[in-house]
Amino acid sequence: MMWDQEIRAMGSCHAILAASVLLATVLPAALVPGFSVYGTHLRWIYAVSSAVTGVSAAVFWLLGVTPPAKKHTVGHKLSRLLRSCLYFLLSCLFFHTVLVLYGAPLIDGAFETFSLAVLLTSLTTLRCLCVLGPNVQAWIRVFSRHGAMSVWDTCLQITVACTLAGAWLGAFPIPLDWDRPWQVWPVSCSFGATLGFLSGLLAAPAWIYHHRKHLTYKCK
């Protein structure tokens, strides 16, 4: 089938990304004294964010998924890199604002809220940058109805939706009077986002493979 090769590449890419999340959790616990997912949760968030960011950039580039630059000059490539970094930062600020509007601590837990925003950006916006580049119009097109133009666009829709749904579902246990360590802000939300991300990595190629005979994409 015409999509089989891309689906296999997607499955390999997602397996590597899932392994990076696992390693970012296990290796620091084994090598860094006092590291724990609960006790040093913010360190865990930044470990996972860093791992996913580095691995995503490398894997998508190696697979040739990242859109090529229209110009091959050093100045243009540097400009594109700077725009990507700016979009990453703006996404962090956007998620931080949304989290506050949904009830996250504004002052006392501001750093915790921003850390969750960094994690969400690493799991969602970064994939947009890797698959579509720093092109907001392409982002809007992909997340509009029938906007996918490739299996990678469809994969992007699924993984982003699963990640955000996981973060949203993770907020439900916080107000419950159970006094559990994972109810401390933003532990359950970051766990939910990460589990949603991992679920999306599994669900996307499976869904695309199951529906591959019916997939049709408009030409770019």
Side-chain angles (χ1 to χ4, degrees):
M1 297 297 294
M2 62 183 303
W3 306 122
D4 284 357
Q5 184 175 355
E6 286 191 272
I7 294 171
R8 285 195 295 268
M10 184 183 299
S12 301
C13 170
H14 287 190
I16 295 172
L17 284 170
S20 73
V21 174
L22 178 62
L23 289 175
T25 302
V26 174
L27 283 183
L31 301 177
V32 180
F35 180 92
S36 69
V37 174
Y38 290 134
T40 55
H41 187 67
L42 297 186
R43 290 185 183 180
W44 176 79
I45 285 180
Y46 285 104
V48 171
S49 299
S50 300
V52 171
T53 298
V55 171
S56 295
V59 170
F60 281 111
W61 179 74
L62 289 172
L63 287 176
V65 177
T66 302
K70 295 181 179 179
K71 299 179 181 179
H72 297 285
T73 62
V74 175
H76 181 76
K77 292 180 179 179
L78 181 60
S79 173
R80 181 171 176 167
L81 176 62
L82 292 175
R83 282 192 294 131
S84 296
C85 293
L86 176 61
Y87 285 13
F88 189 96
L89 176 60
L90 291 175
S91 176
C92 292
L93 296 175
F94 170 77
F95 277 121
H96 184 95
T97 302
V98 171
L99 291 169
V100 169
L101 291 176
Y102 271 87
L106 177 61
I107 303 298
D108 293 340
F111 184 65
E112 287 80 358
T113 303
F114 185 77
S115 298
L116 177 58
V118 171
L119 179 65
L120 290 173
T121 296
S122 301
L123 301 181
T124 59
T125 304
L126 179 70
R127 289 181 67 84
C128 294
L129 289 169
C130 290
V131 176
L132 304 172
N135 185 342
V136 177
Q137 290 182 340
W139 298 9
I140 295 172
R141 185 258 306 163
V142 167
F143 291 102
S144 62
R145 188 175 182 181
H146 306 305
M149 292 185 176
S150 70
V151 292
W152 289 101
D153 288 355
T154 302
C155 170
L156 187 61
Q157 294 172 337
I158 295 172
T159 52
V160 169
C162 288
T163 302
L164 297 180
W168 179 69
L169 291 173
F172 280 83
I174 293 178
L176 300 178
D177 190 19
W178 293 346
D179 294 327
R180 296 289 189 269
W182 46 267
Q183 288 181 277
V184 177
W185 175 255
V187 175
S188 61
C189 287
S190 57
F191 282 171
T194 305
L195 290 175
F197 175 71
L198 294 174
S199 299
L201 294 181
L202 177 64
W207 187 93
I208 292 171
Y209 180 80
H210 181 71
H211 293 85
R212 67 192 186 284
K213 294 182 180 180
H214 308 290
L215 288 176
T216 56
Y217 295 110
K218 296 177 291 184
C219 296
K220 293 185 179 180

